[in-house]
C-alpha cells in the first residue's frame, strides 16, 4: 500500500478590488504540516522541513484533532505580490 506524504493543491482566489485590500489572512486546517505559496512566493509554513522535496513529510506529528481547528495567519505583508491578471 502506498501512502502519500505530500499533496499539491492550487486554488484561484478571486480578489476583485485589489487596490482597496488592506489586510490578508490565510485560514488553514492541517493535520501535520504545510507550506503555503502565493503567486510562487512562500507566505506561511508550519511544521515543515527547511528544504522541500516532492515527498517531504512533516517534521513532527500532530494530533489528528488539531486538524479540526482553523489557524488564521496574517499574511498582509504579501498583498503587494498579488497580481490582478
Amino acid at each position: 500500500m502506498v501512502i502519500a506524504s505530500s499533496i499539491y493543491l492550487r486554488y484561484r482566489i478571486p480578489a476583485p478590488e485589489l487596490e482597496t485590500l488592506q489586510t490578508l489572512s490565510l485560514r488553514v486546517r492541517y493535520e501535520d504540516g504545510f507550506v503555503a505559496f502565493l503567486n510562487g512566493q512562500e507566505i506561511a509554513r508550519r511544521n515543515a522541513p527547511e528544504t522541500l522535496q516532492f515527498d517531504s513529510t512533516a517534521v513532527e506529528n500532530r494530533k489528528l484533532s488539531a486538524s479540526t481547528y482553523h489557524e488564521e495567519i496574517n499574511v498582509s505583508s504579501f498583498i503587494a505580490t498579488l497580481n490582478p491578471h
Side-chain angles (χ1 to χ4, degrees):
M1 178 164 93
V2 175
I3 298 175
S5 61
S6 299
I7 185 169
Y8 173 84
L9 299 171
R10 184 175 180 159
Y11 289 98
R12 183 177 206 100
I13 303 169
E17 305 205 18
L18 292 176
E19 59 278 344
T20 62
L21 193 61
Q22 295 179 7
T23 62
L24 185 64
S25 295
L26 173 65
R27 193 168 177 225
V28 63
R29 292 186 326 190
Y30 60 98
E31 183 179 341
D32 288 328
F34 76 92
V35 180
F37 293 83
L38 179 62
N39 292 335
Q41 182 175 357
E42 184 178 321
I43 62 169
R45 71 169 45 221
R46 297 290 186 270
N47 202 26
E50 185 67 31
T51 302
L52 296 175
Q53 302 292 326
F54 77 95
D55 59 351
S56 291
T57 59
V59 178
E60 298 177 2
N61 289 328
R62 290 175 13 129
K63 292 182 180 180
L64 180 60
S65 62
S67 68
T68 62
Y69 300 99
H70 285 99
E71 179 178 350
E72 190 161 329
I73 303 166
N74 184 329
V75 292
S76 297
S77 61
F78 296 96
I79 290 174
T81 67
L82 295 173
N83 183 348
H85 300 284

